[in-house]
Amino acid sequence: MNRYAVWGNPIHQSKSPRIHQLFAEQLRKEISYEAKLGDETLFEQQINDFFNTGAIGANITAPFKERAFQLADEHSENCKQAGACNTLKRLSDGRLYADNTDGIGLVTDLKRLNWLDKNQRILILGAGGATKGVLYPLLQAQQKITLYNRTIEKAVSLAQYFAKYGEIQTACLEQLSNQKFDLIINATSLGLQGKYVELPRDLLHQAKIYDMQYAPHKNTPFINFAKQHSIADYRDGLGMLVSQAAYAFELWEGFFPNIADTLEILENEMNNTNSTNSY
């Protein structure tokens, strides 16, 4: 039986074990997939021990994505550009291969929603690891990106690095009022504190709203903010979560699962249970 796990801290409420179980059922194959609590001090040793005892692959979530990147021997292009890893695979020679499926997961979910056309203008809120992980695939999809971050220097640094891959710029909050966007993506972690970036009202009415976080049984704070302004087109990040997991599963098992069927089952289950927005 192929053995996998998701590593993070905290991790106990992760949806990844259930998602990958559903994927395995589609393949009609039995796998082992667990949620593992990573130790802030011993994480590298934990991962080495995990693979040395025969594991095939691992998903990595906060706060270990950058450390997992350093552990790997080979990296995909998406992983290199993100500077962080959310998927590890043990190669036949024992070396570790690192990928980052967050960005392609987001792009895939936007395509599922029919929210991704060429040359769209996209505003991304935040300039942290979540943003860095999705910029390269979005620019490869020929999107025109504007970054807003409370600390503008971080946004400028990201924009300068990714400028070689496509059209990307930054803006302060005052400048946003004079711009129009097709899509606004919240990539901040403010929702974990019940907060959100309070954008100008006219900006919201021009765009679709996508929050990379998700909140079962209720909307995220950012989506609630959009709804208060009568925005009709909004989605949370559950579809991105399932999509990024599908690419990891394909890397390990050579089978790309049906995302729509998995998402439908997961949404039905989550509507009847308590859960959080952790990978």
Side-chain angles (χ1 to χ4, degrees):
M1 184 187 303
N2 288 347
R3 187 157 59 96
Y4 306 101
V6 57
W7 293 83
N9 190 341
I11 199 61
H12 67 283
Q13 300 223 36
S14 172
K15 290 297 170 190
S16 292
R18 179 55 178 154
I19 291 171
H20 286 275
Q21 178 187 353
L22 292 171
F23 291 165
E25 289 174 2
Q26 292 181 23
L27 186 57
R28 298 182 180 179
K29 181 176 182 178
E30 189 173 355
I31 67 169
S32 171
Y33 190 110
E34 301 176 271
K36 297 280 193 179
L37 181 66
D39 185 276
E40 292 282 358
T41 303
L42 303 175
F43 172 73
E44 286 77 8
Q45 186 61 52
Q46 288 178 313
I47 293 297
N48 287 329
D49 290 345
F50 180 66
F51 282 105
N52 287 338
T53 55
I56 301 296
N59 287 131
I60 310 295
T61 188
F64 300 117
K65 291 184 179 183
E66 290 79 10
R67 290 168 68 173
F69 179 92
Q70 297 297 329
L71 272 175
D73 302 291
E74 292 187 23
H75 305 80
S76 70
E77 188 62 27
N78 283 337
C79 195
K80 290 177 182 177
Q81 299 306 327
C85 159
N86 78 336
T87 304
L88 288 170
K89 177 183 179 179
R90 187 186 65 179
L91 301 175
S92 57
D93 60 5
R95 293 178 303 141
L96 290 182
Y97 177 80
D99 198 358
N100 190 309
T101 64
D102 287 332
I104 191 63
L106 173 61
V107 168
T108 298
D109 198 40
L110 293 176
K111 289 180 179 178
R112 177 184 69 88
L113 296 168
N114 292 318
W115 283 13
L116 198 71
D117 296 319
K118 289 183 179 179
N119 298 313
Q120 283 189 138
R121 298 201 63 206
I122 298 180
L123 171 63
I124 300 181
L125 308 177
T131 298
K132 190 176 180 182
V134 303
L135 283 178
Y136 180 70
L138 284 174
L139 290 169
Q140 292 292 102
Q142 299 180 46
Q143 304 301 291
K144 299 179 179 179
I145 307 295
T146 297
L147 298 179
Y148 165 75
N149 192 63
R150 183 174 57 182
T151 306
I152 191 64
E153 290 80 10
K154 289 186 66 176
V156 169
S157 178
L158 276 187
Q160 289 175 341
Y161 177 81
F162 283 96
K164 56 182 173 287
Y165 300 113
E167 188 173 330
I168 183 169
Q169 61 182 357
T170 64
C172 63
L173 199 58
E174 294 75 17
Q175 294 171 319
L176 292 177
S177 297
N178 301 318
Q179 300 190 43
K180 294 182 179 180
F181 297 96
D182 301 293
L183 176 64
I184 299 174
I185 298 175
N186 177 40
T188 74
S189 60
L190 290 174
L192 298 176
Q193 294 90 46
K195 301 177 181 179
Y196 54 86
V197 178
E198 190 163 350
L199 295 171
R201 180 180 300 184
D202 59 338
L203 194 65
L204 289 174
H205 282 287
Q206 301 162 3
K208 297 179 177 66
I209 302 297
Y210 191 98
D211 196 336
M212 286 170 60
Q213 295 185 339
Y214 67 93
H217 317 299
K218 61 184 185 302
N219 293 310
T220 66
F222 186 64
I223 287 178
N224 277 330
F225 170 65
K227 288 184 67 177
Q228 289 168 9
H229 295 290
S230 303
I231 305 304
D233 292 329
Y234 58 85
R235 291 292 189 279
D236 68 14
L238 186 61
M240 176 183 172
L241 172 62
V242 175
S243 297
Q244 62 83 27
Y247 285 96
F249 193 84
E250 181 184 36
L251 176 65
W252 299 330
E253 294 286 345
F255 170 80
F256 193 81
N258 186 306
I259 292 171
D261 288 352
T262 306
L263 189 56
E264 182 179 2
I265 294 171
L266 195 63
E267 287 175 332
N268 289 335
E269 291 177 350
M270 290 169 62
N271 285 335
N272 295 294
T273 59
N274 293 320
S275 108
T276 63
N277 60 349
S278 171
Y279 276 26

